[in-house]
Amino acid sequence: MTQSTSSPEAPAENDYGTHPGAAANRVFRWLSTGAGALILITLAAVATFLLAEAWPALAMSSEELGETVSFIKPEDGQSLMEIIGYLIFGTLVISIIALLIATPVAIGIALFISHYAPRRLAQGLGYMIDLLAAVPSVVYGLWGVAVLVPFLTPFYQFLADYLGFIPLFAPPESGEIFTGRVAMSAGIVLAIMILPIITAVSREVFLQTPTLHEEAALAMGATRWEMIKMAVFPFGRSGMIGATMLGLGRALGETMAVLMIISPGLTFSAAILQPNQHNTIAAYIALQFPEANAMGVNSLIAMGLALFVITLLVNMLARWVVSRRKDFSGAN
Amino acid sequence: MKIAIRSGAVISAAALTFALAACSPSNEATTESEAPEATATAAAEGSETAEATAELSGNLQGAGASSQESGMDAWRAGFQNMYPDVTVGYDPVGSGGGIEQFLSGAVPFAGSDGLLEAGEYEQAVERCDGDGGAYHLPMYISPVAIIFNLEGVGTLNLDAETVANIFDGNITTWNDEAIASQNEGVELPDTTITVVYRSDSSGTSENFTDYLEQASDGTWPYEATKEFSTAADQSIGADGTSAVVDTVTSTNGAIGYADASRAGSLGTVAIKVGEEYVPFSPEAAANIVAASPLSEEANGENDLAFAIDRTTTDSSAYPLTLVSYHIVCSQYDDETERALVTEFEKYVASAEGQAAAADAAGIAPLTDELSAQITEILDGIAAAA
Amino acid sequence: MSKRIDINNLNVYYGEFLAVEDVSLSIEPKSITAFIGPSGCGKSTFLRTLNRMHEVIPGARVEGEVLIDGVNLYGDNVDPVTVRRHVGMVFQRPNPFPTMSIAENVLAGYRLNNKRVSKSQADDLVEESLRGANLWNEVKDRLDRPGSSLSGGQQQRLCIARAIAIKPDVLLMDEPCSALDPISTLAIEDLMAELKDQYTIVIVTHNMQQAARVSDRTAFFNIAGTGKPGKLIEMNETPVMFSTPSEKATEDYISGRFG
């Protein structure tokens, strides 16, 4: 009891004082607190930068801005705010197409891997899906333009011929789908790009479904699919929403693939099979940035700010959805 | 792909260092005290065989128009071959970004598809040493081809009004009377015309729309702008020259415009100049510059900022031509910087430099007169301290 | 509703590994049968073969037959999903579905068979099942609260209510009280005594007092060593097993000299 390691001068020496792990514990606490603070600081710095850089464009009168910046034409209904409006619309349209396609497919793949496939096949498939995430977006863009767009065009023509009365599938005036460089194609390529992240996260969540709950369902005579509906989906609900939001985040910000595929335009049109109707914020910035003058760059950053805000809103919405039924989350 | 490189490349002024190394030991002894930052080791070692060509060393950095990128690669290689101790860099951030970096003093010269605006001229006076401001040097002259994909048709004659009507969607089929009347004997199908344009902001679009605005006698309803716009229902926007060419190539009945060097096997348009139809050619492109007056806003006669005369009736000239400039200061107080900029630009303007870029990027070499004029201006800059 | 189970020469394998060897026994209807034995002796595995739940683990298979009122569970044309709708199961740890309310938990199994359930039908079934599980009075005012808001013992009774809501022929209980405190355990044991009037109940337990208290017949399983298969040592009326077992191993285990 006398081998206490504390120094002899210490006023209250006893056996219950310091222990060897104390310092490491303290260091780790500071490190993790620091990491947490760092992300907040980074976010604040980005927001500040965007605001400061966007301000000159936001503060300038519309006419003046139109004279200074070549792509802003208030007289043609393309003031900075109007362009931002069109772009937010286009960004959402394309991202939603991507999500609507990617989410069910990704969840299907994730379920197959987690609950249906034999283990060896599941591993291989999981690896392949992860590999999709490693493909640079430029490659997706090139592939989209060279392979996918020509492949899809006849299919679009079919849609336009038979479902063209729905505004969503309305063809161009001539009735002919003369190009596949449309919002739908961009959305499909984005869907493929966000597939891996949604699949990977969903798969992890599904694999963590407590065996207890799965067995509870199976034991009362649920089929595999009924068990998934009863135990896996409810348990994985917030995880799936999280995965989808991660995918949406990537879709919202994706530049290259959209840039290379879509024939862009600025409208509030619902026609996703018509070219020259939609563009995304990120792709628009990339199109205009190289030749933009100083005020043009400020205007583009104002659009970047809009993207930042949208992404923030989407994430807040997702959190709200997740937390709404917290009692039932199964987290306890 | 280009975008990623452009936006990723951020140049810091701190990275620019210039050093003039002494050319021989004896020289070194006499001028050493004045020589700024003699990073002499490399030059001194080779002193025995050192020739006049080895007297330059340092790092020259430019930024600007991406249209000049492949030409700039050729010039960099050629110049570094002449001066092994010199490093030349060019950041293809775009004309706007290049001008911005030039005006802020981050780079000693900029590449630009367009001319400085009045306010930028004023800023250039502040930025440059002395009161002379900045000069435009037309280094990169490149014809823009109107390309089309129509089976069995290699070339078409069109006047500017017809081109304007096609690109704005007023003429929608290839066998339209307006086209047929100018091309007797050519069998034109009733294929629908698909207009392909640059969806990104580009100097090519600006030159093309400037041509349409000036030459089409009011048929083209828009102003010259870097952002192409059209009322054509059947139109496709593509990002960058390659995408435009690819789209035209893959779309039957498509028409577009692109740097002439990229026209490849596509059909091209001979545009009507005066009474004749002129196909693009390097000579005709160089001639339009020689035949054009200087811009009214030009900074004196040494500032070769041309107001390209798209309405010329001189049928030895091809008015649909992109002129891209190097923007330099009229005076550099830093001896190293001055030597590097003037020597480099003299090489660019030389027959040798122009030939290198013609091989690499398909530009139209400067006429001898213009080349001589530029060299003279550069000599003037070199002399001014 | 209560049915008799006859097991003939049952071997259970996990892949190539023989987990339970050559078990033959009979389980009487309207009675409680307890399986006891040391950890790893295969009693839980064996229990799971009675509703084919062992098949959840890839590679698991059996040889032999399990007859419920003469129908072989492993015969042709038998779907394990249907088997489980007739043979209910309660697990070691309470496992109500956390995302469902108390009432929804009770109805979960019933809904599998009946896609449309009227409101009044559902209410009646919830009350009947919860009363059957001795839980009604404790939860009747908060049926829309999540099942996970209950105490451990209440959750386990909710799971029993869920199991009996589909009116099974047999109720299997795999150490149903091992995660519960003594008072909750007592409540479950009382419940079992009531349920045996209607159901054939099979319970696996580590608690020999529990086996002695609740069961009518007891089967003792044992294992010769690690890697060896579990075997049925003997089975008899519970009072006989706990007073005069015929096997030495049983006596050793029951008297605490073993395991």
Side-chain angles (χ1 to χ4, degrees), chain A residues 320-331:
Chain A
W320 178 74
V321 170
V322 169
S323 69
R324 217 164 36 123
R325 275 168 57 96
K326 205 191 242 159
D327 282 354
F328 291 83
S329 72

Side-chain angles (χ1 to χ4, degrees), chain B residues 7 17 79 90 123 178 238 296 348 369:
Chain B
S7 54
T17 53
F79 192 64
Y90 182 75
Q123 280 178 273
E296 284 168 16
V348 170
E369 299 80 46

Side-chain angles (χ1 to χ4, degrees), chain A residues 51 75 82 85 98 128 155 172 200-201 243 250 286:
Chain A
L51 261 177
E75 69 280 5
E82 284 162 324
M128 300 263 284
F155 176 66
V201 175
R250 181 162 187 204

Side-chain angles (χ1 to χ4, degrees), chain C residues 185-206:
Chain C
T185 301
L186 208 59
I188 303 276
E189 287 179 7
D190 289 346
L191 176 58
M192 284 193 279
E194 288 172 30
L195 290 174
K196 80 169 181 179
D197 291 343
Q198 294 177 55
Y199 302 102
T200 307
I201 296 179
V202 185
I203 174 174
V204 164
T205 180
H206 267 128

Side-chain angles (χ1 to χ4, degrees), chain A residues 70 181 263 276 287-288 290-291, chain B residues 6 93-94 201 227 235 237 247:
Chain A
S70 62
R181 293 167 165 257
S263 174
N276 312 322
L287 282 175
Q288 304 299 346
E291 294 294 320
Chain B
R6 288 178 207 160
V93 289
S201 196
E227 291 81 28
S235 62
T247 307

Side-chain angles (χ1 to χ4, degrees), chain C residues 37-107:
Chain C
S39 295
C41 70
K43 58 191 187 300
S44 282
T45 298
F46 178 68
L47 183 77
R48 284 169 165 247
T49 63
L50 302 186
N51 69 344
R52 297 185 65 169
M53 271 299 282
H54 68 290
E55 290 172 16
V56 170
I57 296 165
R61 64 193 164 86
V62 301
E63 291 166 358
E65 52 186 13
V66 175
L67 303 171
I68 293 193
D69 272 6
V71 179
N72 185 7
L73 292 190
Y74 293 93
D76 298 336
N77 304 323
V78 173
D79 187 335
V81 169
T82 319
V83 167
R84 292 173 202 148
R85 290 185 187 182
H86 290 278
V87 183
M89 190 164 192
V90 174
F91 294 83
Q92 186 171 0
R93 289 183 51 198
N95 55 359
F97 296 115
T99 54
M100 293 183 192
S101 68
I102 292 170
E104 286 300 317
N105 259 291
V106 175
L107 291 171

Side-chain angles (χ1 to χ4, degrees), chain A residues 194-245:
Chain A
I194 64 178
L195 200 63
I197 183 81
I198 304 183
T199 306
V201 175
S202 306
R203 182 187 65 198
E204 287 310 307
V205 174
F206 293 159
L207 282 173
Q208 280 166 20
T209 312
T211 317
L212 273 177
H213 297 153
E214 295 181 0
E215 290 192 338
L218 291 173
M220 57 195 178
T223 60
R224 191 86 66 104
W225 170 233
E226 286 165 340
M227 179 272 281
I228 285 167
K229 283 192 293 184
M230 259 186 197
V232 179
F233 281 162
F235 176 82
R237 191 164 171 273
S238 59
M240 285 190 286
I241 293 174
T244 310
M245 289 305 134

